[in-house]
Amino acid sequence: MYIQRFDPWKSKLCTCPEKYSLNPYTGCGHRCLYCYATAFIKNFYSPRPKKNFIKKVKSELQKIPPGSLISLSNSSDPYQPLEKTYFHTRNFLELLESKNFKLLIITKSDLVLRDLPILKNLNCVVSITITTKKYFRILEPGAPSYEKRLYAIKTLSKAGILVTARIDPVIPFLNDEEVIKIFEEVAPWVKHITTSTYKAKRDSFARLKKAFPEKAKLWQELYFVKGKKIEGAWYLPEDLRKELLYPLFEKAKEFGISIAACREGIKEFSAKEKCDGSFLIDKFLFNELKE
Ligand code: SF4
C-alpha cells in the first residue's frame, strides 16, 4: 500500500492527529544531513519514483474514509527535484480535486508554487520547513535556498492558502540563535509553527560531525553523555531542550500564533492533535474546532 496509516513506530511521544501518510518518492534528493529517514530507508539519497504510482493510489483512495487527513509526505519531500520530471505529487493533487479529503503538505521546496492553482481547490495546509539561513547549503544541500522558501511562504499565504512553518530541527550551537530571527520573518505569514530539537541517530549524527568537526566533541557529550536514549534516538538533556525551545514559545505568544513541539515529551510544549498544523483545516475551512 502506498497510502498508509501514519504510525511513527507507535511512538508514545507523537501528538499528531490520526492521519494517512503518502510518499510519492522513495528517498529524497534534498539530502539533509540531519534527516531521520536515512536510518530506515536504503539508498535514501538516491531517490526514485514509486512504481505505478497514480494507478495504485487511485485505487487505494477508494478504501479510505472520505474526510480523512492525508499527509504528503512524512519520509521524503513531495517537491524534491524528481517532482520536476515525474509529476507524481501534482498528479495526486489533481486526483484529490474532486474528492473530499484533507491534505497536509510538508516541503522545503518552492516548487509547491507551481501547483498553487490546484491547492486553492483543496482542503489543505502547506507546511514549509525553514531551518537555517546561515547553513542551509551545508545542512540541506539539495534543497532550495532560505530566500526561496520564505518567498514560497509569503506567496502561498497571500494567495489565501493556510501556511505553517516547521522550524525544525533546532540543533544546539548551530542554528539555535538564528531560529528566533527566522521565527520573526515567517510569523506574519503563517498560522502555526512546529518545532523540535534534533534527535541524534547514528547515521545522521555522523554526517553532522563530519560537516562541523569543530562541534563534534561538544555534541558528543551533550547527546551521548548528558542526554538519553528515547525510542531509538538520542535526546539532549531535558533542561537544554527547554532552553532551546522556550524562546520560540515566547515569540509565539508575542505574535499570537500557535506553536507545538514535535516528539519532545515535554508537557508545556506539546499540543495534542495540533502539532502538525492540520487542525487549521477544521478551524479555518470548516469552522469546526472548539478552542
Ligand atoms: S527534505 Fe525531509 S525527507 Fe528530504 S532529506 Fe530533508 S529531512 Fe529528509
Side-chain angles (χ1 to χ4, degrees):
M1 291 280 284
Y2 285 167
I3 306 179
Q4 304 210 327
R5 270 194 183 278
F6 179 67
D7 175 17
W9 313 282
K10 304 200 185 321
S11 167
K12 291 193 181 84
L13 298 176
C14 182
T15 50
C16 278
E18 265 194 34
K19 59 187 171 185
Y20 289 87
S21 174
L22 174 64
N23 291 279
Y25 302 94
T26 304
C28 184
H30 287 163
R31 308 193 311 278
C32 307
L33 301 190
Y34 52 73
C35 183
Y36 303 129
T38 57
F40 59 92
I41 297 172
K42 269 192 186 163
N43 302 322
F44 192 80
Y45 292 150
S46 304
R48 50 273 181 205
K50 292 251 166 100
K51 291 192 180 129
N52 295 324
F53 178 73
I54 266 309
K55 195 170 159 219
K56 281 193 159 193
V57 162
K58 201 171 179 179
S59 115
E60 289 175 17
L61 268 183
Q62 316 289 332
K63 296 167 196 151
I64 295 191
S68 299
L69 171 66
I70 302 174
S71 171
L72 194 73
S73 306
N74 292 96
S75 48
S76 63
D77 195 311
Y79 287 102
Q80 60 174 292
L82 283 184
E83 173 62 14
K84 288 183 198 156
T85 310
Y86 292 96
F87 291 80
H88 279 194
T89 297
R90 186 193 176 93
N91 292 340
F92 177 66
L93 298 188
E94 282 170 346
L95 256 191
L96 286 189
E97 262 189 312
S98 54
K99 300 198 168 56
N100 178 26
F101 288 102
K102 298 174 195 167
L103 179 68
L104 169 66
I105 292 177
I106 307 162
T107 183
K108 288 188 170 95
S109 178
D110 58 326
L111 183 57
V112 64
L113 296 178
R114 179 199 66 189
D115 295 339
L116 189 46
I118 308 175
L119 295 176
K120 284 181 179 169
N121 299 327
L122 302 178
N123 302 319
C124 76
V125 168
V126 179
S127 185
I128 305 277
T129 306
I130 186 154
T131 314
T132 167
K133 192 173 194 170
K134 260 191 199 161
Y135 299 113
F136 73 86
R137 273 286 152 258
I138 304 172
L139 272 185
E140 302 151 337
S145 68
Y146 179 89
E147 285 72 21
K148 284 186 177 172
R149 288 183 230 178
L150 191 59
Y151 177 73
I153 288 173
K154 290 182 183 176
T155 309
L156 289 164
S157 175
K158 283 181 199 166
I161 303 292
L162 296 169
V163 191
T164 83
R166 286 194 77 105
I167 303 180
D168 172 31
V170 180
I171 307 175
F173 302 100
L174 196 69
N175 65 342
D176 51 344
E177 285 185 2
E178 61 168 330
V179 289
I180 300 298
K181 178 88 180 54
I182 295 171
F183 191 112
E184 288 171 344
E185 269 196 296
V186 301
W189 307 97
V190 302
K191 293 198 158 29
H192 176 77
I193 300 278
T194 306
T195 187
S196 73
T197 58
Y198 166 68
K199 323 289 188 296
K201 293 237 176 200
R202 204 168 4 152
D203 61 343
S204 63
F205 191 72
R207 292 190 295 265
L208 282 171
K209 276 199 315 185
K210 197 172 168 203
F212 301 96
E214 70 287 2
K215 311 215 188 270
K217 206 169 154 219
L218 183 61
W219 284 339
Q220 186 84 29
E221 189 180 335
L222 287 174
Y223 279 95
F224 303 111
V225 180
K226 296 184 172 162
K228 66 173 175 183
K229 199 171 187 187
I230 305 174
E231 296 184 345
W234 284 89
Y235 277 56
L236 292 165
E238 187 169 316
D239 283 355
L240 179 55
R241 286 188 284 129
K242 283 183 177 171
E243 207 178 295
L244 292 170
L245 299 181
Y246 184 75
L248 292 170
F249 279 73
E250 284 300 293
K251 276 282 156 199
K253 274 190 212 154
E254 190 185 317
F255 280 89
I257 55 177
S258 66
I259 182 167
C262 179
R263 282 181 233 175
E264 293 294 339
I266 299 174
K267 208 171 148 218
E268 58 266 44
F269 291 162
S270 69
K272 190 135 181 63
E273 307 221 320
K274 286 174 101 181
C275 51
D276 64 5
S278 59
F279 74 94
L280 295 170
I281 297 174
D282 285 337
K283 184 172 177 178
F284 289 94
L285 301 182
F286 300 140
N287 293 317
E288 274 175 13
L289 195 80
K290 311 250 181 319
E291 289 287 347

